[in-house]
Amino acid sequence: MKLCMIGTGYVGLVSGVCFSDLGNEVICVDKDQDKINNLKQGIIPIYEPGLEELVLKNYKNKRLKFSTNLSNSIKKSDIVFICVGTPTKKNSTGADLSQIFSVAKEISKSINKFKIIITKSTVPVTTGDEIEKILSKKVNKNKFSVASNPEFLREGEAIRDFIYPDRVVIGSNDKKSATKLRNLYSPLISKGAKFISTNRRAAELIKYASNAFLATKITFINEIANLCEKAQIDVEDISIGIGLDKRIGSRFLRAGPAYGGSCFPKDTKAIVNTADKFKINLSVIKSVINSNSLRSKLLLKKVNEILNKKIRNKNICFLGVTFKANTDDMRDSSSLEMIPFLSKKGAQIKYYDPTGFKKEFSNLKNVNFANSIGEAVKGSDLVILHTEWNDFKSINFKKLHSSKNLKIYDMRNIYSPLKIKSQGFKYFGIGR
Ligand SMILES: NC(=O)c1ccc[n+]([C@@H]2O[C@H](COP(=O)([O-])OP(=O)(O)OC[C@H]3O[C@@H](n4cnc5c(N)ncnc54)[C@H](O)[C@@H]3O)[C@@H](O)[C@H]2O)c1
């Protein structure tokens, strides 16, 4: 099939490349000329394991193309996926759909034959209806069908998640298009992915309800961790103890910093905003958002206690600053609240992240990027393990740090407290 992906970011690039690897002809379009030029030269704009090899392979065999020409790319395609950003609006909690609607207007000018237009971006309930209205202003209704196909891939695991999804959700009010889309996904369905065909609004809501539920699970265990810490219980035992119940499940029950990233913070706010418009009070999700917004402050309070309320001039090392491992995405990472706070309080901060220097910290006083784990840890009073990269799991702190006064705040509970203590260092974890 001939596909056009509009927006070549985490979702558009990964799904476009994977569709081309499944034998489709794919054009990935972006308005960012530099991004497209780089991709044509094999330079990948994001850190995502396995992506580079797959891009090079499919670009070489010409199933995958890159372009900034939206109109031509749409004209050449049968199925058009909208994969642009839907961030939180400025001065509101709702999703900013300006990129979606501007793309819909562009599409309406380029429909030369029947096309299925799909939102792969995460969009609030009724957005498909709005897109349909925009298209109808310029094009006869029998020339297009608007569907929803939410994407569930996780950054860092994106290719595997795309190829082996738990489920493929298609929301379409038109049976013919739903069948075409089922055919597009048939290589994944035959490998075991469940296929869910529903109406367009339901598909839009499935995505938000999934993200809100996962954010709730994380927030739930983070609050249980707060109790564990006071009651001298290891939250890891609680996660195992409740996670083994099949009704609950063990995933997303790891206590740690506030949830962040490009999806959960904006999507929890957007679903509440949508429900408010329908005059429905999503009180559970509201309190999840509130609890998560207090989480970084709570952990910073603990940092203050660990340093005996003397942050000024203390050398603090951050291992990992991205919101999770295996991605370079800094959007809504809790380090964006923690590092500026500590820098303002007069700490000297060094950070190391396997995905390199971060421009987000470049204007902060006394915050420097270290080129290696060793350089970051050296001379520190406190090491904060912020992101759970494999690179950090077997660090021998004894080799890297001479002083016994080193304190380690393990915000992901990846180290054995006993082992760290036996090396003579002070250990602090989350909920333990
Ligand atoms: N990142 C994830 O893990 C993830 C997972 C599932 C769903 N989503 C959803 O997918 C959507 C995209 O997310 P993302 O992280 O890939 O965003 P992104 O910011 O990485 O990429 C969006 C791209 O769209 C491009 N763009 C914007 N307007 C355009 C236009 N008019 N024409 C062509 N290109 C245009 C931008 O230049 C950018 O490269 C969002 O709605 C998000 O919520 C993201």
Side-chain angles (χ1 to χ4, degrees), residues 64 129 152 194 199 218 224 253 256 307 343 385 405 407:
L64 179 65
D129 307 1
F152 299 98
K194 295 267 187 310
N199 71 32
I218 295 172
I224 294 292
L253 277 185
L307 291 172
S343 144
L385 186 287
N405 294 328
K407 293 168 175 176

Side-chain angles (χ1 to χ4, degrees), residues 5-13 29-32 35 46 67-68 70 82-87 98-100 102-103 106 120-123 150-156 158 207-208 211 262-263 266-267 323-324 329 331:
M5 316 302 293
I6 307 179
T8 306
Y10 286 87
V11 166
L13 180 58
V29 188
D30 207 285
K31 63 177 182 183
D32 183 337
K35 195 181 258 191
I46 51 171
S67 174
T68 49
L70 188 55
I82 303 176
C83 310
V84 296
T86 50
S98 55
Q99 295 179 48
I100 298 276
S102 126
V103 164
E106 290 296 322
K120 210 172 223 333
S121 297
T122 303
V123 292
E151 183 50 60
F152 299 98
L153 61 77
R154 292 163 300 166
E155 288 173 19
K207 174 66 190 179
Y208 278 102
N211 276 359
S262 65
C263 293
K266 78 174 176 66
D267 292 347
F323 83 96
K324 67 170 178 177
D329 201 340
R331 288 178 280 187

Side-chain angles (χ1 to χ4, degrees), residues 71-82:
S71 177
N72 269 353
S73 307
I74 293 168
K75 282 179 185 155
K76 286 182 192 159
S77 309
D78 306 310
I79 301 180
V80 177
F81 284 93
I82 303 176

Side-chain angles (χ1 to χ4, degrees), residues 257-297:
Y259 62 72
S262 65
C263 293
F264 290 175
K266 78 174 176 66
D267 292 347
T268 43
K269 283 185 230 159
I271 191 176
V272 166
N273 183 280
T274 303
D276 284 346
K277 284 183 188 153
F278 283 92
K279 301 206 175 350
I280 292 299
N281 180 18
L282 295 182
S283 64
V284 172
I285 306 174
K286 280 181 187 168
S287 65
V288 165
I289 295 168
N290 184 45
S291 172
N292 193 64
S293 73
L294 300 174
R295 184 99 190 127
S296 293
K297 290 170 191 67

Side-chain angles (χ1 to χ4, degrees), residues 1 3 15 17-25 63 79 81 159-168 170 178-195:
M1 288 188 212
L3 314 181
S15 45
V17 171
C18 291
F19 276 134
S20 72
D21 204 53
L22 293 172
N24 300 287
E25 283 178 44
R63 279 204 299 260
I79 301 180
F81 284 93
I159 291 173
R160 205 186 54 194
D161 282 353
F162 188 89
I163 298 171
Y164 301 103
D166 291 339
R167 79 296 206 191
V168 172
I170 297 292
T179 308
K180 262 196 186 164
L181 294 175
R182 192 185 196 286
N183 289 342
L184 175 66
Y185 277 103
S186 62
L188 310 186
I189 297 164
S190 64
K191 274 195 217 150
K194 295 267 187 310
F195 180 76

